Amino acid sequence: MEEVYSKIKELRVKQNMTLKDLAEKTGLSLSFISQVERGATSLSITSLQKIAMALEVNMNYFFEEEVRAENYVLRKNERHEFTTNFGSQIYTRLAGSFGNRKLEPLLVTLPPKIKEEQQYSHNGEEFYYVLEGEVIFYLNNEKHHLYVGDTIHFPSSVEHQWENPLETNSTVISIVIPIIF
């Protein structure tokens, strides 16, 4: 995450934006933004989305390596798993790489008995297909229990969180717009 924090500061400075300017554009406190840039606090997806929008970049900007050549095919052996500070889910990016990509397809593995601590909302939309196990989605506190083969599609502006109620991993295909990671 240190790389994310430094990219936020680097981009803010490049755009001649003060901490106060960024705080006003995001609705986040100046002290919080300062702590984020110093790596002194963790950052939720919602807060990162606000910062990305204020800096006029996709959230994946903060996670990408240097611009690579266009690559429409991603071979199974080229995929890389990653986790975030936002939970213990394991993400695997399924997309190729090219400029101005709009959607983020991911394979997500939810460990046993995981439940997100809080609900999130942000711009965009989300689609999930349950490949293995069971997943409970809470949309505006309404419970939706999905089983293998079930799908759910909703605007990301709806308060949402998920849970794996099982003692084993559950796996979903996730397609999110805009790109988050």
Side-chain angles (χ1 to χ4, degrees), residues 1 56 71 76 123 134:
M1 288 302 292
E56 298 178 359
N71 187 10
K76 183 177 181 178
N123 292 331
E134 301 174 16

Side-chain angles (χ1 to χ4, degrees), residues 59-75:
M59 281 179 41
N60 71 322
Y61 170 85
F62 301 110
F63 299 96
E64 285 183 338
E65 297 172 13
E66 292 301 311
V67 176
R68 300 166 287 202
E70 289 185 347
N71 187 10
Y72 303 127
V73 175
L74 182 64
R75 302 285 178 203

Side-chain angles (χ1 to χ4, degrees), residues 102-106 122-123 125-128 156 174-180:
K102 302 282 188 258
L103 61 89
E104 183 75 87
L106 299 162
H122 47 89
N123 292 331
E125 57 185 284
E126 303 182 28
F127 171 86
Y128 297 91
S156 302
S174 167
I175 300 174
V176 181
I177 299 171
I179 296 169
I180 294 177

Side-chain angles (χ1 to χ4, degrees), residues 49-105:
Q49 177 71 21
K50 289 177 182 180
I51 292 169
M53 289 174 62
L55 295 172
E56 298 178 359
V57 294
N58 287 323
M59 281 179 41
N60 71 322
Y61 170 85
F62 301 110
F63 299 96
E64 285 183 338
E65 297 172 13
E66 292 301 311
V67 176
R68 300 166 287 202
E70 289 185 347
N71 187 10
Y72 303 127
V73 175
L74 182 64
R75 302 285 178 203
K76 183 177 181 178
N77 65 341
E78 296 172 334
R79 295 184 201 153
H80 300 285
E81 293 180 346
F82 64 96
T83 59
T84 67
N85 286 350
F86 317 124
S88 57
Q89 303 87 279
I90 300 168
Y91 296 92
T92 305
R93 183 172 282 114
L94 300 176
S97 58
F98 56 90
N100 209 22
R101 226 171 24 96
K102 302 282 188 258
L103 61 89
E104 183 75 87

Side-chain angles (χ1 to χ4, degrees), residues 12 15-26 30 54:
R12 177 185 60 79
Q15 293 182 13
N16 294 318
M17 193 181 294
T18 65
L19 284 170
K20 183 178 178 186
D21 294 336
L22 185 56
E24 289 173 359
K25 286 183 95 171
T26 60
L30 188 143

